[in-house]
Amino acid sequence: MTIFTITDLVDWSRAQFALTAMYHWLFVPLTLGLGFICAFMETIYYRRGFDPEWRRTVRFWMRLFAVNFAIGVATGLILEFEFGTNWSNYSYFVGDIFGAPLAIEGILAFFMESTFVAVMFFGWNRVSPRMHLASTWLTAIGANLSALWILVANAWMQYPAGMRFNIETARNEMVDFLEVALSPVAMSKFAHTVTSGFLLASLFVVAISAWFLLKKRQEAFAIRSMKVAAVFGLVSAVFTAWTGDTSGVHVARYQPAKLAAMEALYEGRNGTPLTVVGLLNTDKKHDNDAPIFDFEVKIDKMLSLLAFHDLDAFVPGFNDLIYGNAEHGIMPVSEKMERGRKALEQVTLYSNAMREGDTGELARIKRLFDIDTPEGEAFYNDYFRYFGYGFLKSEDEIVPPIGLVFYSFRVMVGLGVWFVVLFAACLVMLKKGTLVRRRWALWLMLLSLPLPYVAGQAGWIVSEVGRQPWTVQDMLPAMASVSELSYEAVRTTFFIFAVLFTMLLVAEIMIMVRQVKNGPEAIKD
Amino acid sequence: MESYLTYQHYWWFVISLLCGILVFLLFVQGGQTLIYRLSGGDKDRKTLLINVLGHKWELTFTTLVTFGGAFFASFPLFYSTSFGGAFYVWMAILFFFVIQAVAYEYRSKPSNLLGARVYESFLVLNGFFGTILLGTALGTLFTGAEFTVSRDNIASLSGSNVISQWQSPWRGLEAVLDYRNVALGLAVFFLSRTLAIHYFYATVNSNKIIAKSRRPLIVSTVLFLVFFLVFFGGVMLGGGYETNHATGRIWYVAHKHFHNFVELGWLGAGFLLGLVMVLVGLFMGLDRCKNTIWVSGPGVVVTVTALMLCAGFNNTAYYPSLSDMNSSLTVSNSSSSLFTLKTMTYVSYLIPLVVAYIAFVWYLMTKKRESVDDLDDAPEKY
Ligand code: HEM
C-alpha cells in the first residue's frame, strides 16, 4: 500500500498531525537547549568584564538560534490550530481541560519568549548589558515554560486526571487544575522532553565546534564553546536517561498496551525479561503462534524490574490485554467494549429524555454520572471508565503498530547511552587537553550531530504511535476525535504543508551550514 | 448560574480584547504590502522598512497564537465548530502565516535556497491574505456560517460521532458570498496599511519613505473608511439572533447588533470613543504626525473590542448558524466549565503584567527613529 492509496480520513488526519509535530520537533529542541547555552555564555561574558571573545562566541550561537527559532514558532502555530481543524470532536470533548494549558502557555510563556527574543537579537547596542543578559535568560525560560504547558496538555491525554464527565454538556470537564498540571506523568514528560532538548542543543554545539577544530579554525572559540556545551550535555544526558526511566514506569502503570508494543510482548508473565535488541518476525500477529523474534538478546527479569521495580512483577502482553487475564484482574477488551457502549447509551438516553422532558429519567441518569453518589461511583467503576472502548469496532484495535514502536524505543535508548559516553569522553579529553589531537574523536562528535534528532523523533513515535488508538487514553479513540472532513481535503493540505515544510527545512539547513562556514570571524561588533 | 454567566462574559471580553489587539498589530502585515511601494525600489530603504517591521512580527504572531489558545480554552465549541468546519479558510490563514514567520529571518541570509525576492513575496502574500482572510473570518461572527451542532452525536453507536458539522462543501470559502464579510476583510486590510504608515512615522527616519507614503496613506485611509462603513452599515441593518441564557432558546431579532449598541449604552459609547480615536488618528496621519500610531492604534483596539462585545454581549448569538438557528453559538452554550473559566481568570490577572513588559521593551527598542545609516551600524539585522 502506498500513501496515495490511503482513503481513510483518520489515517490522513494522523498523518497530517504527525507531519506537523515531527517537523516542529526538528526545531524546538534546539531552541529549548540553545537558549540556555546562550544564556550561560552571555553570563560568562558579563562576569568576565565583557570579554569581546565571549561576546563573539555568544553572538555566533545566537545567530544559529535565530535561524532555527522562527520556523519552530511557525510550525507550533499550525499544531495548535490543527486541534481545531483536524480534531474538532476531540477539541470539544476535552477542550475544557486541554485548552487551559494552551491558553496559559500563550499568555504566560509565548509573550515572554517573543518579547525578549527581539531584545536578545537586536538589542546589543540598544539596551544595557544587564538588560540584554536578562532578556537572553527570559527568552530561554519563556521557551521552556511554553514546553511545560504543552507537555502538561500532552501528558493529560496519556493519563487523563483531574476531570469529570458532565452529562449535560456531553464532555469532560476539569475539576482539579493542580491534578492536571502536576500529574506525575506531566512532570516526567516535561523533564524528559526538555532535557532531551538540552542534550540535543549541547551536541549541536559540540559537533559544530568539533568541525572548527578539524578545520583548525577558531580553535579557542571552539574549545570555549565545547566546554560549556559538554558539561551541560553530560548533565542533560544523564537526566534524560533517568527521566526516561521514570517515564517508562509511568507507561507500565497507565498505558500497558504501549509498554507491550515497546517490548513486543504478547504473553505476559512474572519476571518478564527485557529484550535488549531484537529482530521482529513480520509474520507474527497476536492471534497466531508464529515466533515473535527472528533474533533477540534478552536479560532475564529485567523488564519487570525496570517497569515495576520488582524482579517478579507481572507485565501483561497483548494476549492478556486483549483476551483478559482473570488471575491478574485484566478484563477482556470485548467486555470493556460492551461496558463502554452501555456508558455511551446512557448519554443517548439522556438526550432523548431531554427532548421528551422526562424529568425522572434525567434525574436517574444524572445520578449515574455523579461520582459522589453510590450509584455514580458504581457506574463509574463498572461502565464509565471504559467509555472510549464503546467506540471500538473490534478488540484488536487496541494494538498499536508494534514494529514501529519497538524499534523506535531501542533507537532512542541506544542513542541515549551513546550520548552519555560521548559527552563524558569529550569532557575528559577537554580536561586532559588531548581533544584537538584526537581527530577520530572529533569526527565521532561531528558525525553524531544528527543522532539526537533521530532519538527525539523516535521518542515521540514511542509516545504517540504507542498510544494509538487513543487520543485520550481509554476515553476517546482517534476515530471519534476527527473532524468531519473528506480525506481529500486533508490529503491536499497534507501535501501542501509537506512541500512547504521540506522546502523551509532545506533552506534552514543551507543557511545554518553557511553561517557556520562563515564562522565567528564574520561577526562584526 | 449568575456567576457562571459573569465568567462567560468576562472571557468573551478577553477574547474581544485579544482580537482588538490582534487587529491593531496587523499593521505589521499591512506594512509588508508596502515595502516595495515605500522604498521606491531602493534596497537600503526596503531593508530599513523590513527591519522596523521585523522587530514586531513576533508580537502579532504570538497574539494570534494566544487568541487561538484562549478561544480554544474558553469557548471550545467555537473552536471545534469553526476550525473543523471552515477548514480551508483556517488552513489558508495558517499557510500565509507560516511563510511570514521564516521570511524575515531567511530573506537576507546567504544560501537561503529561494532567494530574497521569494521571501519578500512571502511577506507581501502574508500581508494581503493574512489580513483579508482573518477579516473575512471575523465577519462571520456577525453574519453567520453554515453549521449544525448536535451533542448527542458523540455517543452515536451507528452514525457519525462528530458534534459540529459543516453544511457547505466549500468549507468556509462560502463566506465570500456575503458582501459584509468581504467588506470587513478589505477594511482590515486597508486599515492594516494605514496603521503601518502611522507606525513608520514613529519609527522610520527617512524623508524619502515618508514622502512616498502620502498617496498610499490617503488611498488606504479612504478605502478603509468605505469598506468599514459598508460592513458596519450592512451589519446594523441586518438581523441577528438573541438567546435566553437560562433556557437556551434562540430567536431572530431585526437589527440585533444596532440594538446592542443602544441597549448597552456604555458599549455604544465605547464604540464611538474608539471610532473617534481612529478618526482623529486618521487625520493626524494625514498631517504626518509622529505620534499618530499612539492614537489610531489604541482607537482600533477599543473599536474592535467594542464590535466583538457587540457580537457576543446582550444575549446575542456570536456565531449564528445559517443552517439551524438553534445550533448558533452563544457565550453560554459554547463555553468551558465554570471551574476552567475561573482557573483561567486567575491566570488572566497576569495580563497587565505581560502588557507592561511588552510596552517597556517596545519603548526600549524604539526610543529613536531608525535610519538607513543606523541600520548599517547595527550588529544584527534582517
Ligand atoms: C537513555 C535512555 C532513555 C530512556 C529510558 C527513555 C525512555 C522514554 C520513554 C519510556 C518514553 C515514552 C514516554 C511516554 O510515552 O509517555 C520516551 C519518550 C521520549 N523520549 Fe526518551 N528515553 C531515553 C533517551 C532519550 C533520548 C536520548 C532522547 C533524545 C535526545 C529522548 C527523547 C524522547 C522524546 C522527545 C520523547 C517523547 C516525549 C515524551 O513522551 O517524553 N529520549 N522516552
Side-chain angles (χ1 to χ4, degrees):
Chain A
M1 188 167 71
T2 73
I3 189 166
F4 294 100
T5 56
I6 299 175
T7 56
D8 182 34
L9 170 68
V10 180
D11 282 343
W12 274 110
S13 302
R14 281 180 169 135
Q16 182 152 45
F17 203 81
L19 173 87
T20 322
M22 292 180 93
Y23 268 98
H24 188 54
W25 199 248
L26 284 179
F27 311 111
V28 172
L30 186 62
T31 302
L32 296 180
L34 201 51
F36 276 123
I37 292 179
C38 288
F40 297 146
M41 289 177 170
E42 194 173 335
T43 308
I44 300 174
Y45 157 71
Y46 187 83
R47 291 249 169 133
R48 298 213 174 152
F50 307 114
D51 177 351
E53 285 305 309
W54 273 102
R55 180 174 156 120
R56 254 182 344 121
T57 307
V58 187
R59 289 207 26 222
F60 174 81
W61 295 112
M62 259 183 203
R63 275 201 181 167
L64 299 184
F65 179 96
V67 174
N68 178 69
F69 179 76
I71 185 163
V73 174
T75 43
L77 172 84
I78 311 189
L79 270 185
E80 178 193 2
F81 282 74
E82 275 179 4
F83 286 115
T85 53
N86 292 45
W87 304 98
S88 70
N89 227 33
Y90 164 85
S91 296
Y92 173 73
F93 194 59
V94 298
D96 192 68
I97 309 137
F98 190 86
L102 229 62
I104 296 173
E105 177 182 18
I107 295 171
L108 294 190
F110 279 157
F111 277 113
M112 189 186 223
E113 187 181 2
S114 64
T115 305
F116 291 102
V117 86
V119 184
M120 172 170 147
F121 294 147
F122 302 107
W124 282 103
N125 294 348
R126 291 170 195 253
V127 300
S128 68
R130 229 183 142 97
M131 174 69 197
H132 194 275
L133 177 63
S135 299
T136 306
W137 274 102
L138 287 169
T139 304
I141 293 171
N144 283 274
L145 267 185
S146 38
L148 169 69
W149 290 108
I150 193 63
L151 290 165
V152 163
N154 179 283
W156 180 84
M157 300 161 84
Q158 320 261 356
Y159 171 59
M163 52 119 197
R164 278 196 196 163
F165 184 77
N166 180 344
I167 182 71
E168 283 176 37
T169 51
R171 68 176 180 198
N172 288 297
E173 296 183 352
M174 182 156 65
V175 291
D176 188 339
F177 178 69
L178 290 184
E179 226 183 290
V180 175
L182 302 177
S183 93
V185 177
M187 290 301 103
S188 66
K189 204 173 248 300
F190 171 66
H192 188 58
T193 311
V194 297
T195 49
S196 80
F198 299 164
L199 182 166
L200 179 142
S202 304
L203 194 48
F204 179 86
V205 173
V206 165
I208 291 174
S209 304
W211 181 81
F212 278 103
L213 292 179
L214 282 168
K215 289 266 163 197
K216 301 196 185 314
R217 256 179 72 186
Q218 296 287 330
E219 292 190 4
F221 151 85
I223 297 277
R224 198 181 306 126
S225 301
M226 238 184 203
K227 279 186 181 154
V228 175
V231 173
F232 191 42
L234 181 60
V235 174
S236 305
V238 171
F239 261 95
T240 304
W242 180 35
T243 51
D245 174 64
T246 316
S247 281
V249 171
H250 290 145
V251 169
R253 195 162 306 165
Y254 306 121
Q255 298 178 298
K258 188 191 277 183
L259 183 71
M262 281 154 68
E263 292 301 321
L265 191 64
Y266 287 84
E267 299 296 341
R269 56 183 251 209
N270 294 85
T272 319
L274 178 83
T275 309
V276 182
V277 283
L279 197 59
L280 291 172
N281 169 10
T282 47
D283 293 333
K284 173 66 188 169
K285 297 276 172 304
H286 67 87
D287 50 5
N288 69 22
D289 286 334
I292 302 172
F293 293 102
D294 287 335
F295 160 79
E296 69 198 294
V297 176
K298 285 184 184 294
I299 305 177
D300 206 28
K301 294 184 185 252
M302 200 59 184
L303 184 60
S304 291
L305 180 68
L306 284 177
F308 294 101
H309 296 161
D310 170 1
L311 279 173
D312 291 316
F314 176 80
V315 182
F318 280 114
N319 288 341
D320 309 283
L321 295 168
I322 297 173
Y323 304 115
N325 182 327
E327 190 190 331
H328 291 281
I330 302 172
M331 191 187 285
V333 171
S334 54
E335 172 79 30
K336 291 182 180 174
M337 285 162 65
E338 215 31 57
R339 292 178 180 226
R341 288 202 186 115
K342 288 242 164 62
L344 284 171
E345 260 165 37
Q346 296 302 319
V347 180
T348 308
L349 290 177
Y350 188 85
S351 309
N352 294 344
M354 273 296 262
R355 258 191 299 277
E356 288 153 17
D358 182 345
T359 45
E361 177 74 344
L362 286 175
R364 180 191 70 81
I365 301 173
K366 257 190 168 167
R367 271 198 307 279
L368 286 186
F369 284 90
D370 180 356
I371 201 166
D372 295 331
T373 65
E375 301 108 290
E377 198 183 340
F379 181 75
Y380 178 86
N381 285 324
D382 294 341
Y383 297 100
F384 185 74
R385 73 166 58 229
Y386 309 109
F387 190 85
Y389 288 87
F391 294 105
L392 301 184
K393 302 277 179 281
S394 86
E395 51 193 11
D396 55 9
E397 280 178 50
I398 66 143
V399 181
I402 297 174
L404 192 54
V405 177
F406 174 86
Y407 289 120
S408 300
F409 185 59
R410 269 140 202 85
V411 167
M412 170 179 64
V413 176
L415 288 174
V417 175
W418 166 240
F419 299 140
V420 175
V421 174
L422 189 75
F423 284 120
C426 178
L427 268 182
V428 171
M429 285 186 261
L430 274 172
K431 191 145 181 63
K432 287 192 183 159
T434 53
L435 184 63
V436 183
R437 276 180 279 128
R438 302 242 156 89
R439 293 183 67 80
W440 59 267
L442 294 172
W443 271 110
L444 272 181
M445 286 169 200
L446 179 59
L447 293 176
S448 294
L449 175 60
L451 300 182
Y453 288 91
V454 174
Q457 297 289 334
W460 278 115
I461 291 174
V462 173
S463 177
E464 299 301 301
V465 176
R467 69 157 142 139
Q468 297 302 322
W470 305 110
T471 50
V472 184
Q473 186 70 35
D474 293 353
M475 192 62 66
L476 194 71
M479 63 201 224
S481 307
V482 284
S483 310
E484 192 150 271
L485 293 164
S486 71
Y487 79 88
E488 287 96 339
V490 182
R491 186 176 63 180
T492 308
T493 50
F494 171 90
F495 282 115
I496 292 174
F497 281 107
V499 170
L500 179 69
F501 292 158
T502 308
M503 223 163 60
L504 298 181
L505 174 67
V506 173
E508 139 144 347
I509 294 174
M510 284 172 57
I511 295 173
M512 286 249 194
V513 169
R514 180 63 180 265
Q515 296 286 325
V516 171
K517 282 188 179 159
N518 288 350
E521 53 272 52
I523 290 175
K524 63 171 190 175
D525 279 323
Chain B
M1 188 66 200
E2 193 52 42
S3 98
Y4 190 13
L5 207 52
T6 310
Y7 280 103
Q8 287 162 333
H9 280 84
Y10 173 74
W11 272 92
W12 185 255
F13 168 74
V14 174
I15 297 292
S16 302
L17 184 63
L18 279 171
C19 185
I21 297 173
L22 177 62
V23 173
F24 161 47
L25 292 174
L26 286 177
F27 74 78
V28 173
Q29 272 62 24
Q32 289 166 188
T33 65
L34 290 164
I35 50 177
Y36 290 117
R37 182 77 186 266
L38 299 191
S39 61
D42 179 84
K43 205 163 151 263
D44 291 338
R45 287 202 293 272
K46 188 173 66 191
T47 304
L48 175 63
L49 289 169
I50 290 178
N51 271 273
V52 291
L53 289 172
H55 294 173
K56 296 287 173 278
W57 80 265
E58 285 259 8
L59 208 51
T60 314
F61 208 88
T62 308
T63 309
L64 177 64
V65 174
T66 307
F67 176 68
F71 228 143
F72 187 6
S74 47
F75 299 98
L77 190 54
F78 172 80
Y79 206 74
S80 67
T81 305
S82 175
F83 286 43
F87 182 77
Y88 285 136
V89 174
W90 288 110
M91 279 290 169
I93 291 176
L94 293 179
F95 180 87
F96 287 114
F97 273 89
V98 171
I99 59 177
Q100 180 214 24
V102 289
Y104 281 106
E105 189 58 44
Y106 290 6
R107 185 190 72 98
S108 65
K109 296 273 185 312
S111 310
N112 64 9
L113 181 70
L114 303 173
R117 288 290 294 205
V118 174
Y119 290 106
E120 281 163 19
S121 68
F122 282 178
L123 292 179
V124 177
L125 286 171
N126 167 252
F128 274 105
F129 291 107
T131 50
I132 295 177
L133 287 169
L134 270 177
T136 308
L138 283 179
T140 61
L141 295 183
F142 299 87
T143 60
E146 296 181 29
F147 62 86
T148 56
V149 173
S150 168
R151 288 188 175 78
D152 318 357
N153 287 356
I154 191 81
S156 167
L157 289 174
S158 46
S160 161
N161 289 118
V162 183
I163 287 174
S164 306
Q165 311 229 358
W166 205 256
Q167 302 300 323
S168 158
W170 295 98
R171 313 283 334 183
L173 297 176
E174 70 284 353
V176 297
L177 296 179
D178 189 321
Y179 74 93
R180 295 170 297 180
N181 298 335
V182 180
L184 185 60
L186 291 171
V188 170
F189 169 64
F190 286 110
L191 175 67
S192 71
R193 278 164 71 101
T194 309
L195 290 174
I197 295 176
H198 295 174
Y199 171 72
F200 291 143
Y201 288 162
T203 49
V204 170
N205 182 2
S206 159
N207 291 335
K208 293 218 167 98
I209 290 179
I210 302 300
K212 280 200 180 300
S213 68
R214 179 130 189 107
R215 238 179 85 85
L217 179 65
I218 295 174
V219 173
S220 298
T221 304
V222 171
L223 288 177
F224 157 64
L225 287 172
V226 170
F227 284 116
F228 184 73
L229 278 177
V230 171
F231 161 76
F232 189 70
V235 168
M236 291 300 120
L237 292 175
Y241 295 157
E242 185 162 297
T243 186
N244 177 329
H245 291 301
T247 63
R249 215 168 63 78
I250 296 177
W251 61 94
Y252 175 83
V253 174
H255 312 311
K256 173 69 183 140
H257 296 97
F258 177 72
H259 287 306
N260 289 354
F261 279 133
V262 177
E263 285 161 21
L264 302 179
W266 59 268
L267 186 61
F271 177 71
L272 285 180
L273 173 77
L275 212 57
V276 168
M277 286 166 74
V278 173
L279 289 176
V280 171
L282 295 182
F283 281 110
M284 285 168 71
L286 295 177
D287 267 350
R288 302 183 192 180
C289 174
K290 257 190 345 195
N291 292 323
T292 308
I293 189 75
W294 297 120
V295 179
S296 56
V300 167
V301 176
V302 175
T303 312
V304 175
T305 307
L307 264 178
M308 288 286 291
L309 292 179
C310 175
F313 273 26
N314 204 29
N315 311 322
T316 313
Y318 71 82
Y319 201 38
S321 166
L322 304 176
S323 312
D324 165 32
M325 187 164 65
N326 282 310
S327 291
S328 301
L329 305 189
T330 68
V331 292
S332 58
N333 73 9
S334 65
S335 85
S336 282
S337 64
L338 176 60
F339 182 84
T340 295
L341 293 182
K342 263 190 185 168
T343 308
M344 292 197 309
T345 297
Y346 296 128
V347 177
S348 76
Y349 293 153
L350 291 170
I351 291 178
L353 177 75
V354 175
V355 173
Y357 72 64
I358 291 174
F360 176 61
V361 167
W362 185 310
Y363 162 77
L364 279 183
M365 298 292 285
T366 44
K367 263 195 269 188
K368 86 182 205 356
R369 290 189 299 157
E370 204 158 344
S371 68
V372 170
D373 295 338
D374 296 333
L375 210 57
D376 277 345
D377 300 335
E380 300 288 347
K381 64 178 174 204
Y382 282 131

